[in-house]
């Protein structure tokens, strides 16, 4: 099985992924836009938004991810205390690493973690109904207003292949120390 090592920007935190991604998607939801602003405002933070204003993720099965180095540097935050998602950042260089949905069988890994030239091509944009006004999106990939049936089928197929397991991600148990 092909493996790839992904690191934070400074290289102190790393994860190893095995196998192909479930899907590569650019999310335009309000939460991803709000989180991008928060992460950009961190010390040494950078924008993770694509030119189109979306956040690019590569969704991977949790059972195909291993945290290799620097797990102790990972911290998380939630946009609201009761949020179903947490975003995990490497504190050494303020690199967004992944987003995790509560009870999800996958991690949404920030596409910027892939080395240039090895980054999977985006399959689609999603949640474009939340997108702020601006230039029209290009028609290079589908631009649905919400999650498509095909997107959900890919997640379901991965979950079936995992025998409906939902592995626990035992990193980033500590919350980031800023107010969101």
């Amino acid at each position: 099985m092909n493996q790839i090592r992904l690191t934070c920007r400074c290289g102190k935190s790393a994860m190893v992924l095995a196998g192909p991604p479930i899907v590569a998607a650019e999310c335009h939801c309000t939460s991803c836009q709000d989180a991008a602003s928060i992460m950009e405002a961190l010390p040494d933070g950078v924008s993770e938004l694509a030119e189109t204003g979306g956040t690019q993720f590569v969704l991977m099965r949790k059972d195909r991810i291993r945290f290799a180095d620097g797990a102790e540097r990972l911290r998380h935050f939630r946009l609201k205390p009761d949020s179903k998602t947490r975003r995990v950042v490497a504190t050494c260089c303020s690199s967004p690493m992944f987003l995790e949905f509560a009870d999800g069988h996958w991690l949404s890994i920030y596409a910027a973690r892939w080395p240039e030239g090895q980054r999977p091509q985006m399959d689609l944009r999603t949640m474009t109904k939340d997108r702020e006004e601006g230039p029209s999106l290009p028609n290079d990939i589908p631009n649905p207003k919400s999650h498509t049936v095909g997107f959900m089928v890919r997640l379901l197929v991965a979950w079936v292949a995992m025998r409906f397991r939902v592995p626990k991600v035992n990193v980033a148990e500590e919350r980031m120390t800023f107010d969101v």
Side-chain angles (χ1 to χ4, degrees):
M1 193 176 297
N2 289 343
Q3 292 190 345
I4 186 166
R5 181 181 173 91
L6 304 181
T7 68
C8 61
R9 289 191 331 260
C10 73
K12 292 179 181 173
S13 291
M15 61 181 105
V16 177
L17 313 179
I22 298 168
V23 66
E26 183 179 293
C27 185
H28 288 264
C29 78
T30 303
S31 293
C32 282
Q33 293 171 36
D34 292 347
S37 295
I38 290 168
M39 290 183 286
E40 187 175 0
L42 293 172
D44 299 320
V46 296
S47 176
E48 292 287 336
L49 296 177
E51 289 179 15
T52 57
T55 303
Q56 295 184 338
F57 292 106
V58 179
L59 283 63
M60 293 290 299
R61 290 171 39 169
K62 284 183 180 177
D63 63 347
R64 293 189 171 174
I65 300 169
R66 178 176 56 84
F67 294 92
D69 295 307
E72 70 280 359
R73 293 181 176 89
L74 300 178
R75 300 289 183 272
H76 77 271
F77 72 94
R78 297 176 192 275
L79 292 176
K80 299 176 190 164
D82 61 342
S83 177
K84 297 271 188 199
T85 59
R86 68 178 183 148
R87 287 163 174 85
V88 175
V89 175
T91 58
C92 45
C93 58
S94 297
S95 294
M97 298 296 283
F98 63 86
L99 176 150
E100 180 183 25
F101 287 91
D103 302 321
H105 59 281
W106 74 95
L107 288 183
S108 299
I109 300 170
Y110 284 87
R113 301 291 60 86
W114 265 261
E116 213 43 62
Q118 294 182 339
R119 185 176 301 160
Q121 293 288 331
M122 291 294 112
D123 296 307
L124 75 154
R125 293 182 184 92
T126 190
M127 301 305 294
T128 62
K129 68 179 180 186
D130 290 353
R131 190 171 173 266
E132 293 184 16
E133 292 297 319
S136 296
L137 291 171
N139 290 322
D140 53 345
I141 55 177
N143 295 309
K145 293 189 182 299
S146 185
H147 297 298
T148 64
V149 171
F151 179 90
M152 300 308 281
V153 165
R154 286 184 182 196
L155 286 175
L156 180 60
V157 167
W159 199 27
V160 169
M162 294 171 66
R163 298 183 182 133
F164 300 104
R165 291 178 297 122
V166 180
K168 175 128 174 71
V169 175
N170 292 314
V171 297
E173 298 301 324
E174 290 186 45
R175 187 179 185 280
M176 291 190 76
T177 57
F178 59 86
D179 294 323
V180 289

